[in-house]
Amino acid sequence: QVQLVESGGGLVQAGGSLRLSCAASGSTVSINNMGWYRQAPGKQRELVAGISRGGSTNYADSVRGRFSISRDNAKNTLYLQMNSLKPEDTAVYYCKAIVLLQHYWGQGTQVTVSS
């Protein structure tokens, strides 16, 4: 079992920055890939960025060059640095961890970008 708790969301003006964190606990030594997803009102949840245990990353086209995902395996924490935020980035952001074939989700943190 893995528990995930996100933090760092909030209200920011367009062009601003936020840093999200996701603290993992439980069977963290078994975590492989991790990722950030987001879900805007009326839309499906979508992948924002992913990172392997070894540090390989991938990004959605809409955030590439503005967002940066990283992880500190020693601290069992996943991060998402979000720069140059746009109103369309407004969503609930979720952290996900994959352990073998099981997917674990956090409760989400709201990010609101005002124009």
Side-chain angles (χ1 to χ4, degrees):
Q1 290 283 343
V2 172
Q3 295 78 43
L4 303 171
V5 179
E6 301 99 334
S7 61
L11 174 64
V12 64
Q13 287 189 330
S17 298
L18 282 174
R19 189 193 196 201
L20 305 183
S21 298
C22 172
S25 61
S27 302
T28 58
V29 68
S30 301
I31 295 176
N32 295 315
N33 294 347
M34 300 187 77
W36 288 99
Y37 288 71
R38 67 186 181 188
Q39 187 167 18
K43 295 188 176 181
Q44 290 188 329
R45 192 172 297 189
E46 62 176 0
L47 173 68
V48 175
I51 186 168
S52 70
R53 187 170 185 85
S56 297
T57 59
N58 61 286
Y59 296 92
D61 289 342
S62 59
V63 307
R64 187 175 292 111
R66 300 187 297 122
F67 290 10
S68 178
I69 188 171
S70 61
R71 64 191 287 178
D72 185 331
N73 292 330
K75 294 183 178 180
N76 299 316
T77 304
L78 178 71
Y79 303 100
L80 184 69
Q81 178 65 45
M82 305 186 293
N83 299 326
S84 302
L85 282 160
K86 304 176 181 180
E88 51 262 44
D89 294 317
T90 295
V92 178
Y93 284 70
Y94 297 90
C95 169
K96 187 176 88 169
I98 300 175
V99 178
L100 298 177
L101 296 179
Q102 291 188 306
H103 295 201
Y104 296 91
W105 293 90
Q107 82 289 348
T109 185
Q110 176 71 46
V111 171
T112 302
V113 185
S114 63
S115 56

